[in-house]
Structures are given as structure tokens and as C-alpha cells.
Amino acid sequence: MDISADDVRGVRQLVRELEQTGDVEELRALAVRELVRLIPADGGQWYQFAEHAPGVRALALPAESFHADPTVIYEHPVDHPLTEAMLVAGTGGAWRVSDVAADLDWQRTHCYNLDFRPFGMRRHLVASSREPAGVVGYALVRGGSDFTEHQRELLGYAHPRIAAAERLLLERQRMLALAAAALDSVGRPGHGAVAAGEDGSLQPLDSVAEALLPLVRDDPRLAAPGTFRVAHTRVRVVPCAVPGVPRLVLLHDLAPGRAAARRLGLTEREHRTLEHIDAGRTPAEAARAMGISLTTVRGYVASLHRKLAAGHTAALLRTGRELGLLGE
């Protein structure tokens, strides 16, 4: 490989800086800027072809160095002469577009920039790799002299290491978000969290979720956001912005509260009415949620005040928590 010790140190320093970034967009912007510095160019771009969905994402710095609409550039016709060479056949390193095109002189090419006409007006150095999300890579562009063999080797060396830093950051963000979901349950009796993977797998994040998960694992309602009950478990499915984890399943074990209600002589509907009040619902809203009349709910509320010896709503909810009828 035609790169020097200084090149290696420069790439390693870049990777260390990338590993300290706070999010993926910041990482990509820094990578583009630093690649343009390491390999002198007029501009750089990160790009991604979606594997199973239409559309292309791109980040160019400066913005005018590449066409403003990446779909114009990157969505090759199936029979485009560069498609197989650049995307299907693939490569372990980087290459100059001029190497792939040989001596062909198209009036217009769909590859990387509309200003690339006639061929050779602008020089492009390209690196791509296949990732689970599709074809991902970096491209550099300059006018005048072509990129050298050394510069191609340097981009080929840097690209997989930048990609590894990005994967590390994505995984770190994923683990932090999942840990936050699990920690949110700590100290709240009977609450647990489950991560639902894109493949449908369910991963309990704490001991409460591990105990409750067998009760709900096969329920088809886990596939969509919403709240429902299974036996004595309340299930809430919420979207999640973590890569590879489209949703979180929040579980609340209602069994202890149900047992406390029976011990205190509350009926199941009286207990549910208390939970609705705790959730901030009015008697009318509680009646609609339980499918009963407003008069019946008002009767349950009066019974709760009497059985729990609570003179007003705040006292009713405070007593309910103290007696284990309501979660924290």
C-alpha cells in the first residue's frame, strides 16, 4: 500500500476525533471536511444509496461542490455502464472515476456530478462499501489535475476506518438510549422495558420486563404503537429513534395493585376508576374508557372516597399510592 507513516497517523487522528463526536451527522460532516484536508479537493461528499427503499441521502461540503439533488446524480439507470463497476462489483478500496471509465468520453454521466461533461472536466475520487442500510461512501471532487495513485490508496485506507467509527457511534447511541429506557424503570415498582428489534426480536432490559415478557411475547398488538392489557399487565408500545430498534415496549405489572385492591375490599372496576383518576382523566373520560355510564363511575368515585377514608381527590391519590394501589 502506497501510504506513509504520516498518512497512517493522520487517519488515526481523524478516527479519534470522529469517535468523540456527539451524533452521526456531526461525524459525517467532520469526516468530509477532514478528508478534503487530507486529500486536497474542491469539495467532498458522504452519500448513501438505500438498499431496499427508494431515495438517496447525501451531505456535500461545500454544498455547491456537488449537485443539489443527489437523486439526479446517484440513481443510475440499471444499464448505466458505471453501475456494475461501482456498485455491484464493488471494491475493497477507492478508485478514480477516470480509471473506471477508461477512455470513454460521454457528453453526460450520471455519476457524482452533472458538471462532469465532457468527461474529465472534473476529477472524482470515490470510496464505497456495502452496509446493512445500503451502499455508503465518500466522494471527493476537484478541477484540473487528477487524483494520484497515492491519494487513492489513502482514501481506500481511510474509508473503512471512518465507517467503523460511525458504526461504533451508532451502537453507542443505541446502547445509551436502551439504557435510558431501562433506567427510567428503576425505582418504579412493577415497571419494565423491552427493546423490539427490526427483525421482531424482543430483548428485556431489566428483571421486571424479563418476568413479564412471556405473558405478552406472542401478542400481535406489539407490532404497532398503542396501549393494551394482557392479564394483569399493562403494555405500552412506543416508537423509538434508536437504529435497529423501531419501538420500545413498556410493561407495568398490575398484579400487586390488584392484590392490594382485593385486600382492601375494592372491586376491580373501582380500582380501575382510581387508576383513571390517577392518569388525569375526568369521570366522563373514565366512563368512556371503561364502556360504562357516567353515573356508574360517579358511584365508584364516591365508594373510593368512603373505603379509603379520603375527603378529596389529592388525598384519594396519595392514599392509593401509600396502600400500593397505584404505581409511583
Side-chain angles (χ1 to χ4, degrees):
M1 182 174 291
D2 185 25
I3 59 174
S4 67
D6 286 340
D7 293 329
V8 171
R9 282 192 290 271
V11 172
R12 288 178 176 173
Q13 177 61 32
L14 170 57
V15 169
R16 284 193 292 270
E17 293 176 10
L18 296 177
E19 290 175 345
Q20 300 305 311
T21 55
D23 61 66
V24 174
E25 294 304 319
E26 180 186 355
L27 180 148
R28 291 166 182 163
L30 177 59
V32 170
R33 288 195 298 268
E34 289 302 300
L35 283 175
V36 170
R37 183 185 63 81
L38 286 173
I39 304 172
D42 298 330
Q45 186 179 58
W46 167 87
Y47 59 88
Q48 178 187 69
F49 297 80
E51 187 78 80
H52 301 296
V56 179
R57 297 178 60 203
L59 168 67
L61 295 175
E64 64 273 13
S65 60
F66 286 80
H67 195 277
D69 180 4
T71 60
V72 173
I73 311 305
Y74 290 101
E75 289 184 346
H76 301 277
V78 173
D79 59 349
H80 191 281
L82 294 182
T83 300
E84 182 175 0
M86 290 189 169
L87 302 180
V88 179
T91 177
W95 66 96
R96 297 173 298 189
V97 172
S98 54
D99 293 337
V100 178
D103 58 350
L104 296 179
D105 185 21
W106 290 299
Q107 291 302 303
R108 170 175 172 174
T109 175
H110 292 274
C111 185
Y112 303 110
N113 200 293
L114 280 182
D115 292 337
F116 209 106
R117 53 178 191 263
F119 204 90
M121 181 178 292
R122 302 193 71 178
R123 308 290 183 170
H124 294 74
L125 187 62
V126 180
S128 291
S129 62
R130 285 196 172 275
E131 304 287 346
V135 177
V136 182
Y138 289 86
L140 302 177
V141 61
R142 69 160 62 143
S145 61
D146 202 350
F147 292 94
T148 66
E149 181 72 16
H150 168 261
Q151 290 167 337
R152 178 171 62 179
E153 294 281 359
L154 181 53
L155 182 59
Y157 178 79
H159 178 248
R161 288 157 179 81
I162 293 172
E166 180 170 333
R167 287 193 298 270
L168 179 64
L169 177 58
L170 285 170
E171 180 62 16
R172 187 163 68 239
Q173 289 181 324
R174 173 181 179 274
M175 296 307 297
L176 286 172
L178 295 182
L183 287 171
D184 187 53
S185 299
V186 173
R188 302 175 63 199
H191 287 74
V194 176
E198 290 179 338
D199 59 357
S201 61
L202 298 174
Q203 175 189 358
L205 302 180
D206 50 53
S207 59
V208 173
E210 189 172 9
L212 296 177
L213 186 56
L215 300 174
V216 303
R217 184 184 296 277
D218 298 323
D219 197 297
R221 291 172 289 185
L222 293 174
T227 301
F228 59 92
R229 294 183 185 226
V230 176
H232 290 302
T233 304
R234 180 188 291 121
V235 184
R236 183 179 174 215
V237 183
V238 296
C240 181
V242 180
V245 183
R247 59 196 182 281
L248 290 173
V249 181
L250 307 180
L251 305 176
H252 180 195
D253 185 4
L254 303 175
R258 296 288 183 263
R262 289 193 298 271
R263 186 173 64 253
L264 295 168
L266 272 60
T267 67
E268 182 175 348
R269 283 196 168 180
E270 286 173 342
H271 188 206
R272 289 189 64 184
T273 298
L274 180 62
E275 291 177 324
H276 284 301
I277 296 172
D278 184 46
R281 298 185 181 93
T282 65
E285 291 170 336
R288 284 195 297 272
M290 292 191 289
I292 56 180
S293 72
L294 176 57
T295 300
T296 301
V297 169
R298 285 174 173 162
Y300 291 153
V301 173
S303 179
L304 286 166
H305 281 287
R306 185 178 65 255
K307 291 181 178 180
L308 298 182
H312 49 79
T313 301
L316 184 67
L317 296 178
R318 183 175 62 250
T319 302
R321 287 192 175 84
E322 291 171 352
L323 297 175
L325 297 167
L326 298 171
E328 295 296 328

